[in-house]
């Protein structure tokens, strides 16, 4: 009744938002194993693309380290998260150890990143569709404006990184 099922957030129609926690873990683990993969992953996924907030925070720390010219590994990520005051809240050393054991193969980091991004785009599309549905019920707004708003909303929610998904 509180919008949760088995501890996971549920939408009003009882669907769990699209996500793949295994892909999120595999991506982060791949980057911990081989931080050089960040160069290929950075254009594909952002911290906001992660369904699990802790995963997004870990990724954001990795991006900060990478952009500062540092090496990504468990020590530098733990240090960065500690400096941000989020190490314990994201899960601390147990989370990083879990992430290290997650990737089947670190060389697949870009593939895992695309999975994470694809799920995020689906979540954005669902939110955009919900907003458009609400707007369509607004009898005060002319139909042409509603249609224009629909196109703008979908375009805004699905950023340029997602365009290849639509082709």
């Amino acid at each position: 009744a509180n919008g949760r099922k088995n501890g996971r957030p549920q939408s009003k129609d009882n669907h769990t938002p699209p996500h793949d926690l295994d892909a999120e873990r595999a991506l982060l683990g791949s980057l911990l194993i081989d931080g050089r993969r960040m160069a290929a992953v950075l254009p594909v996924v952002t911290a906001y693309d992660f369904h699990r907030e802790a995963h997004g925070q870990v990724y954001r720390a990795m991006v900060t380290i990478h952009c500062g010219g540092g090496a990504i590994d468990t020590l530098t990520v733990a240090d960065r998260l500690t400096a941000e005051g989020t190490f314990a809240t994201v899960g601390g050393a147990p989370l990083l150890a879990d992430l290290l054991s997650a990737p089947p193969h670190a060389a697949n980091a870009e593939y895992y990143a695309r999975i994470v991004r694809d799920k995020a785009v689906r979540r954005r599309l669902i939110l955009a569709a919900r907003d458009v549905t609400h707007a369509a019920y607004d009898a005060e707004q002319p139909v042409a404006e509603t249609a224009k708003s629909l196109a703008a909303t979908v375009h805004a929610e699905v950023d340029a990184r997602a365009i290849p998904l639509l082709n």
Side-chain angles (χ1 to χ4, degrees):
N2 66 355
R4 298 180 83 68
K5 182 177 181 182
N6 299 328
R8 291 192 173 147
Q10 299 285 305
S11 64
K12 289 182 181 181
D13 55 3
N14 293 323
H15 291 290
T16 301
H19 65 282
D20 187 334
L21 295 179
D22 289 335
E24 291 184 12
R25 291 175 56 243
L27 170 57
L28 296 173
S30 294
L31 294 172
L32 285 172
I33 291 168
D34 185 358
R36 295 170 299 177
R37 302 274 176 203
M38 181 59 86
V41 167
L42 201 53
V44 177
V45 71
T46 72
Y48 300 105
D49 290 336
F50 289 84
H51 180 71
R52 185 167 177 219
E53 186 177 344
H55 291 166
Q57 290 175 321
V58 170
Y59 182 76
R60 189 176 299 111
M62 291 175 169
V63 169
T64 301
I65 293 164
H66 174 77
C67 291
I72 296 170
D73 59 32
T74 54
L75 208 67
T76 60
V77 172
D79 184 59
R80 182 70 207 162
L81 291 168
T82 299
E84 294 172 359
T86 58
F87 185 62
T89 58
V90 301
L95 174 68
L96 295 181
D98 177 59
L99 295 175
L100 271 175
S101 69
H105 202 295
N108 294 331
E110 191 174 355
Y111 176 75
Y112 306 139
R114 286 194 304 268
I115 293 171
V116 171
R117 180 208 48 207
D118 293 355
K119 299 298 182 181
V121 169
R122 287 184 180 280
R123 289 191 303 274
R124 287 187 197 108
L125 285 170
I126 290 167
L127 291 174
R130 185 191 63 201
D131 292 345
V132 167
T133 299
H134 290 298
Y137 279 106
D138 183 2
E140 303 284 319
Q141 186 175 9
V143 173
E145 275 185 44
T146 301
K148 189 182 274 188
S149 174
L150 172 133
T153 300
V154 170
H155 182 68
E157 292 297 332
V158 181
D159 59 26
R161 292 174 309 109
I163 298 304
L165 298 175
L166 303 176
N167 293 328

